[in-house]
Amino acid sequence: MPATIRDVARLAGVSPSTVSRALSMPGVVNPTTRARVMAAADSLGYAPNKAARGLITGRTGNIGLVVPDLANPFFPSVVKGVQARAGESDVAVFLADSDEDATAEIGLVRALAKQVDGMILCSPRSSDQELIGLAQETNVVLINRLVEGVPAVTFDNEEGMRLAIDHLVALGHRRIAWVGGPKASWSSKHRIIGLYSAAHDHGVELVPVGSFQPTYDGGMAAADQAVATRATAVVAYNDLVAIGLLSRLHARGISVPDDLSVVGIDDIAMSRMAHPALTTVRLPKQKAGRLAVELLLGLLDDPDPGSISLRGTLHGELMVRESTGVAPDPARP
Amino acid sequence: MPATIRDVARLAGVSPSTVSRALSMPGVVNPTTRARVMAAADSLGYAPNKAARGLITGRTGNIGLVVPDLANPFFPSVVKGVQARAGESDVAVFLADSDEDATAEIGLVRALAKQVDGMILCSPRSSDQELIGLAQETNVVLINRLVEGVPAVTFDNEEGMRLAIDHLVALGHRRIAWVGGPKASWSSKHRIIGLYSAAHDHGVELVPVGSFQPTYDGGMAAADQAVATRATAVVAYNDLVAIGLLSRLHARGISVPDDLSVVGIDDIAMSRMAHPALTTVRLPKQKAGRLAVELLLGLLDDPDPGSISLRGTLHGELMVRESTGVAPDPARP
DNA sequence: GTGAAAGCGCTAACAC
DNA sequence: GTGTTAGCGCTTTCAC
């Protein structure tokens, strides 16, 4: 049985309230008593029971984190960032994987909501309406999604896509294919906007190639259509798709980057390990996790939504690797 | 403010205890009252406060899970398994990432211990002594580690290595290199035992090639030494190492599997996507997570350690892919 | 600066 | 079968 506040009080010869104060409001207690309490506390290995404290303060010291699929390498990075930042503030993290299911997602949030001070929803699958509803019931911070009135950490997708297009245009590409991800995805929409805007500014052509699963298999499925566009470069919805593309292109004997350049988005660990190594727009995933925790913690300390920043926007960075090269000479057969 | 048990009691016209009973001991309450309570409960959207319940029952309905590094693709799979099984029993999961730090690991466990019914430690970095200590203070289930008296889920490493060796021997390989992982690792020890035993039984030679980081870079670092052994096949500590190997071999112009066969262990998602696709021993990672939860739950229901099985051993499965082929003709120059 | 008392939301005896 | 009482470990008035 772990030691309780009473055990400490008895050992230190003070009342439980004094122990409580010594631990959570240092300034207000006599330094001598405080020292005695501290000594007693750690001689007993005492640590306060968060649940009991939460019952009275209304703060549990825990947060919840919901991700759509841990098997997608994007998310573990975000989780790591959340963990790291939460740990620094001595906050524990409940993790839930919704398995891409919007209904499950809402359920998980509801179930967890009672035991946490707030929740971080990463790339939520739920509708704006549902998210707004949740945000009313509990403190919510979104990652990778913008919903009216809900605090969020997002990546600047428009800018990221511009980075990719600038790079390809500089290499001489004039006809660029876009292998799209899930149609409903918030990121998808914004990436497309950035892509078209950048392509327009450069006066180059952007050829959309449908909508695919944001997975390796999605990329495999898209490859032949991408080739058929006769574009000299392809931007993929994410790295997983790009790697699937690489694989199918290799199987077809199409050389990357000699025949076709490929750019991904995310910079998951696997991208560096691909053949050829994948040029991609790195998204600061861990940082997003950290920032989300910070927003959430800020929200808790000061629930007045006006006085703190509710938004964090993170910037991508182009990682040039071997999957992109100069556009093939159009004069070639 | 969420509804409390009293709100429900008032609305249903019964006492709080009746509500409590109606919810957690259905059989013991009058069906009519029960119905009334249920109606009241969900009209208020009532859900019991787990923390308050835990305070009195001593059971929180939560478990903790500590992994050494979520960025290693092995672990997210285990986490998914834990999540899935825990969810089925309506148990929430605290996740902590120790960042490969044994000290942090112990700290995380201690911090979490108060708020959970038990902990699952996946591939723990701590010493046997420390783990035994923890197991005395709280319910612990280990994954990927065997310590006297502590419940655990492990993979049959010996058998897995035999699978790999059998496969290579059947392809004609007679000299096989082993690229080892961290020396202190429990898995490492058992893999080596299996490897030598299988090699001995087949009368083939096993050549150890030092000890490397269990990462892609570790594999890159090991490749040249592996080649220098003049073995015709390499078994790597894990898939990440094997993929690093593949990469460096490719850079050196050594063809896999024509010049050298490579076998990994784990079957992480990336292995299928490698070039050539990696032959590997699949470890049922999700299953390990599920099983660990089951052992833990069993432990809670029946703390008598004698009456339930404290051990689960999972079996690997050989996935033959393109990175292995027949041994090159030794007569060749 | 410190102690006593009350109570957070819930369940577990114990009566009836 | 149901209500009453007490109390889990903690913090927080409110006295002193």
Side-chain angles (χ1 to χ4, degrees):
Chain A
M1 274 289 89
T4 81
I5 201 170
R6 290 220 246 232
D7 301 324
V8 179
R10 202 172 309 123
L11 185 59
V14 297
S15 79
S17 4
T18 302
V19 175
S20 172
R21 282 189 280 251
L23 267 56
S24 36
M25 336 168 56
V28 89
V29 69
N30 185 309
T32 324
T33 3
R34 200 175 103 82
R36 204 144 34 90
V37 170
M38 295 313 249
D42 59 43
S43 101
L44 291 173
Y46 171 78
N49 180 322
K50 278 188 170 195
R53 170 185 288 167
L55 210 47
I56 182 151
T57 59
R59 301 251 317 229
T60 60
N62 300 326
I63 63 175
L65 171 59
V66 182
V67 298
D69 181 16
L70 258 195
N72 178 334
F74 181 87
F75 299 108
S77 295
V78 177
V79 175
K80 272 204 93 134
V82 168
Q83 293 270 352
R85 183 62 188 81
E88 290 168 14
S89 294
D90 212 34
V91 163
V93 180
F94 275 110
L95 178 70
D97 182 320
S98 69
D99 251 319
E100 300 281 359
D101 176 346
T103 318
E105 192 172 84
I106 300 283
L108 289 169
V109 174
R110 291 249 151 71
L112 245 36
K114 307 269 194 316
Q115 335 193 41
V116 300
D117 298 332
M119 309 261 324
I120 295 174
L121 308 187
C122 189
S123 307
R125 278 14 183 183
S126 309
S127 70
D128 283 16
Q129 277 314 312
E130 289 170 315
L131 293 175
I132 290 172
L134 288 177
Q136 276 162 196
E137 295 169 34
T138 167
N139 295 301
V140 171
V141 172
L142 267 22
I143 296 180
N144 234 333
R145 177 84 170 263
L146 227 35
V147 172
E148 182 63 28
V150 185
V153 174
T154 51
F155 300 102
D156 188 335
N157 283 294
E158 282 86 342
E159 180 201 51
M161 294 301 86
R162 183 167 294 270
L163 258 26
I165 296 292
D166 287 355
H167 169 65
L168 292 174
V169 169
L171 289 168
H173 297 275
R174 294 290 175 266
R175 187 173 166 83
I176 301 170
W178 160 247
V179 172
K183 279 200 199 74
S185 144
W186 183 85
S187 306
S188 219
K189 288 194 192 84
H190 290 266
R191 287 174 189 179
I192 290 171
I193 293 171
L195 246 11
Y196 274 101
S197 148
H200 177 263
D201 293 350
H202 283 293
V204 303
E205 216 173 339
L206 188 79
V207 192
V209 181
S211 161
F212 296 84
Q213 287 296 103
T215 61
Y216 176 79
D217 291 322
M220 295 271 276
D224 301 306
Q225 293 180 47
V227 170
T229 62
R230 310 187 46 84
T232 60
V234 187
V235 179
Y237 177 69
N238 68 19
D239 285 358
L240 241 24
V241 170
I243 293 170
L245 236 27
L246 251 31
S247 177
R248 175 70 186 155
L249 292 172
H250 178 83
R252 282 195 51 190
I254 294 167
S255 163
V256 174
D258 295 340
D259 300 329
L260 190 60
S261 285
V262 175
V263 177
I265 304 168
D266 281 354
D267 194 27
I268 56 178
M270 211 181 294
S271 307
R272 240 184 82 226
M273 312 180 192
H275 269 303
L278 187 65
T279 293
T280 186
V281 178
R282 167 177 293 173
L283 264 24
K285 299 168 283 298
Q286 293 212 200
K287 202 168 183 183
R290 297 190 74 96
L291 186 51
V293 175
E294 246 146 49
L295 285 187
L296 188 50
L297 259 28
L299 216 59
L300 301 179
D301 288 340
D302 178 1
D304 171 9
S307 59
I308 57 160
S309 165
L310 294 176
R311 289 281 144 83
T313 305
L314 266 18
H315 299 275
E317 181 186 0
L318 185 74
M319 308 300 294
V320 177
R321 296 200 272 241
E322 288 105 62
S323 71
T324 47
V326 295
D329 183 352
R332 247 173 19 187
Chain B
M1 275 287 91
T4 82
I5 201 172
R6 292 220 244 232
D7 300 326
V8 179
R10 200 171 312 124
L11 185 60
V14 297
S15 81
S17 11
T18 302
V19 175
S20 173
R21 282 189 280 252
L23 267 57
S24 35
M25 336 169 56
V28 88
V29 68
N30 184 310
T32 323
T33 1
R34 201 175 103 80
R36 205 142 34 90
V37 170
M38 296 312 249
D42 59 42
S43 100
L44 290 173
Y46 171 78
N49 180 324
K50 278 190 168 193
R53 170 185 288 167
L55 211 47
I56 182 151
T57 58
R59 302 246 323 221
T60 60
N62 299 326
I63 62 175
L65 171 59
V66 182
V67 297
D69 182 15
L70 257 195
N72 178 332
F74 181 87
F75 298 108
S77 295
V78 177
V79 175
K80 273 205 93 133
V82 168
Q83 291 271 353
R85 182 62 188 81
E88 288 168 14
S89 294
D90 211 33
V91 163
V93 180
F94 276 108
L95 177 70
D97 181 319
S98 69
D99 250 321
E100 300 280 0
D101 176 348
T103 317
E105 192 173 84
I106 299 283
L108 289 169
V109 174
R110 290 250 151 71
L112 245 36
K114 309 267 194 318
Q115 334 193 40
V116 300
D117 298 333
M119 309 261 324
I120 296 173
L121 307 188
C122 189
S123 307
R125 273 25 181 177
S126 309
S127 70
D128 284 18
Q129 276 315 311
E130 289 170 317
L131 293 175
I132 290 173
L134 287 178
Q136 276 162 197
E137 296 169 33
T138 167
N139 295 300
V140 171
V141 172
L142 267 22
I143 297 181
N144 235 330
R145 177 84 171 263
L146 226 37
V147 172
E148 182 63 27
V150 185
V153 174
T154 52
F155 299 103
D156 188 335
N157 282 293
E158 281 86 343
E159 179 200 52
M161 293 303 85
R162 183 167 294 272
L163 258 25
I165 296 292
D166 287 354
H167 169 65
L168 291 174
V169 169
L171 288 168
H173 297 276
R174 294 290 174 268
R175 185 173 168 82
I176 301 171
W178 161 246
V179 172
K183 278 200 200 74
S185 145
W186 182 87
S187 305
S188 220
K189 289 195 191 81
H190 289 267
R191 286 174 190 180
I192 290 172
I193 294 172
L195 245 11
Y196 274 101
S197 146
H200 176 264
D201 292 352
H202 283 294
V204 303
E205 215 174 338
L206 188 78
V207 191
V209 181
S211 161
F212 295 84
Q213 286 296 103
T215 60
Y216 176 79
D217 291 322
M220 295 271 277
D224 301 306
Q225 294 180 46
V227 170
T229 63
R230 308 188 46 86
T232 59
V234 187
V235 179
Y237 177 68
N238 68 18
D239 285 357
L240 241 22
V241 170
I243 292 171
L245 236 28
L246 251 30
S247 178
R248 174 70 185 155
L249 293 173
H250 178 82
R252 284 195 50 190
I254 295 167
S255 163
V256 175
D258 295 338
D259 302 328
L260 191 59
S261 285
V262 175
V263 177
I265 304 168
D266 282 355
D267 195 27
I268 57 179
M270 213 181 292
S271 307
R272 239 185 83 225
M273 311 179 194
H275 271 301
L278 187 66
T279 293
T280 186
V281 179
R282 168 178 293 172
L283 265 23
K285 299 167 283 296
Q286 293 212 200
K287 204 170 184 182
R290 298 189 74 94
L291 185 51
V293 175
E294 245 147 50
L295 285 187
L296 188 51
L297 260 27
L299 217 58
L300 301 179
D301 289 341
D302 179 1
D304 172 11
S307 59
I308 57 161
S309 163
L310 293 177
R311 288 282 144 82
T313 305
L314 266 18
H315 299 274
E317 181 187 359
L318 185 74
M319 308 300 295
V320 176
R321 297 202 272 240
E322 288 105 61
S323 70
T324 48
V326 294
D329 184 352
R332 245 174 19 185

